[in-house]
């Protein structure tokens, strides 16, 4: 089985400017995601899709494969990860040969482990190539959430669980952004990383499932 690891690292970031090459510990944020998959047998390449020359240079320093800079239309705030991934898959298969799947690794999840990646790949293989999605237990159960309707606080779900003890609620999970593994043909067909047959890769660790989006997230990551 051949899997292309894809790391998406656009140059522009409004909340955390330069985050992809900002030092976290002893290396740039981007490098954490590149290095964690090196040596995994099923990974044929670690391709970094970026529109930024500086990111390209740093990615290559840490053995990321950066054969081109991302086209302008895929370097905007509204460009989707799906479009970016399909562009990378199309180029790779045309120039380097066919692959079975793409593993999207967002650089903002630096603490995912090699063991988790191997576990996800094993799930993918055993499930006959269904989509594998990284999820974590949610700290805000959907049955305890609210919306504001005409100025009034209203349970978000009709069948709310406001009178149910937390330990009696069924487990609920949230996508943590650390792991997306999908067959290339399914991604092209569904235009989504969540397919009809999506299998959870459950990550219980708060540190491993951390998705850095704000300065406070970054400070927490440095503390970890």
């Amino acid at each position: 089985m051949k899997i292309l690891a894809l790391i998406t690292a656009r140059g522009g970031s409004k909340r955390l400017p330069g985050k992809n090459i900002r030092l976290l510990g002893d290396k740039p944020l981007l490098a954490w995601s590149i290095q964690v998959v090196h040596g995994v047998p099923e990974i044929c390449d670690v391709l970094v899709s970026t529109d930024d020359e500086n990111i390209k240079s740093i990615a290559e320093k840490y053995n990321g494969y950066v054969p081109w800079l991302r086209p302008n239309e895929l370097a905007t705030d509204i460009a989707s990860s799906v479009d970016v991934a399909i562009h990378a898959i199309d180029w790779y298969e045309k120039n380097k040969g066919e692959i079975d799947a793409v593993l999207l690794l967002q650089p903002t999840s630096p603490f995912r482990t090699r063991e988790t990646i191997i576990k996800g790949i094993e799930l993918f293989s055993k499930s006959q190539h269904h989509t594998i999605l990284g999820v974590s237990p949610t700290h805000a159960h959907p049955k305890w959430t609210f919306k504001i309707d005409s100025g009034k606080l209203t349970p978000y779900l009709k069948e709310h669980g406001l009178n149910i003890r937390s330990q009696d609620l069924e487990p609920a999970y949230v996508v943590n952004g650390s792991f997306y593994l999908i067959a290339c043909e399914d991604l092209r067909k569904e235009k989504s990383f969540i397919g009809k047959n999506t299998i959870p890769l459950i990550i219980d660790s708060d540190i491993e499932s951390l998705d850095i989006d704000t300065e406070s997230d970054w400070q927490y990551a440095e503390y970890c």
Side-chain angles (χ1 to χ4, degrees):
M1 181 167 55
K2 291 179 65 176
I3 298 174
L4 176 66
L6 174 65
I7 299 174
T8 55
R10 193 168 62 89
S13 175
K14 294 179 180 178
R15 290 189 179 183
L16 287 172
K19 66 181 178 183
N20 287 314
I21 56 176
R22 183 174 173 180
L23 284 180
L24 178 62
D26 61 349
K27 55 192 172 187
L29 179 65
L30 175 68
W32 290 79
S33 294
I34 295 174
Q35 293 183 331
V36 74
V37 288
H38 274 304
V40 175
E42 294 83 357
I43 302 297
C44 57
D45 260 316
V46 186
L47 192 151
V48 178
S49 174
T50 184
D51 61 323
D52 186 278
E53 284 283 4
N54 199 19
I55 292 176
K56 181 179 186 294
S57 176
I58 291 175
E60 290 174 335
K61 177 181 177 182
Y62 287 90
N63 296 317
Y65 179 47
V66 196
W68 32 257
L69 289 179
R70 192 187 301 179
N72 291 335
E73 65 271 19
L74 294 178
T76 67
D77 290 338
I78 61 174
S80 72
S81 295
V82 170
D83 290 337
V84 170
I86 291 175
H87 168 262
I89 293 168
D90 288 347
W91 183 91
Y92 193 89
E93 291 196 320
K94 180 179 179 180
N95 293 274
K96 302 277 285 185
E98 290 188 1
I99 53 177
D100 298 297
V102 60
L103 170 60
L104 177 65
L105 300 174
Q106 297 184 149
T108 49
S109 299
F111 299 136
R112 71 174 77 77
T113 64
R114 184 179 297 263
E115 290 74 22
T116 291
I117 288 170
I118 292 172
K119 180 181 177 181
I121 292 174
E122 290 175 347
L123 280 174
F124 182 77
S125 179
K126 292 177 181 177
S127 66
Q128 297 182 341
H129 299 184
H130 289 161
T131 304
I132 310 297
L133 189 64
V135 298
S136 299
T138 179
H139 298 294
H141 198 284
K143 287 193 174 182
W144 282 7
T145 58
F146 294 83
K147 60 182 176 180
I148 298 176
D149 187 4
S150 301
K152 297 179 181 179
L153 201 61
T154 306
Y156 204 86
L157 300 177
K158 289 184 178 180
E159 296 181 2
H160 65 75
L162 300 178
N163 298 321
I164 302 175
R165 299 182 307 166
S166 60
Q167 60 266 40
D168 295 329
L169 289 167
E170 66 272 31
Y173 299 89
V174 62
V175 176
N176 58 38
S178 68
F179 190 99
Y180 302 81
L181 178 56
I182 186 171
C184 298
E185 60 184 278
D186 290 339
L187 183 62
R188 289 184 176 115
K189 180 179 178 181
E190 301 293 337
K191 299 293 191 294
S192 172
F193 281 100
I194 301 179
K196 295 179 179 178
N197 298 294
T198 301
I199 294 175
L201 174 62
I202 300 174
I203 301 173
D204 291 314
S205 167
D206 288 340
I207 295 175
E208 191 174 351
S209 60
L210 175 65
D211 182 12
I212 300 175
D213 188 48
T214 64
E215 186 62 38
S216 60
D217 292 335
W218 188 278
Q219 291 173 2
Y220 179 68
E222 289 183 321
Y223 175 78
C224 293

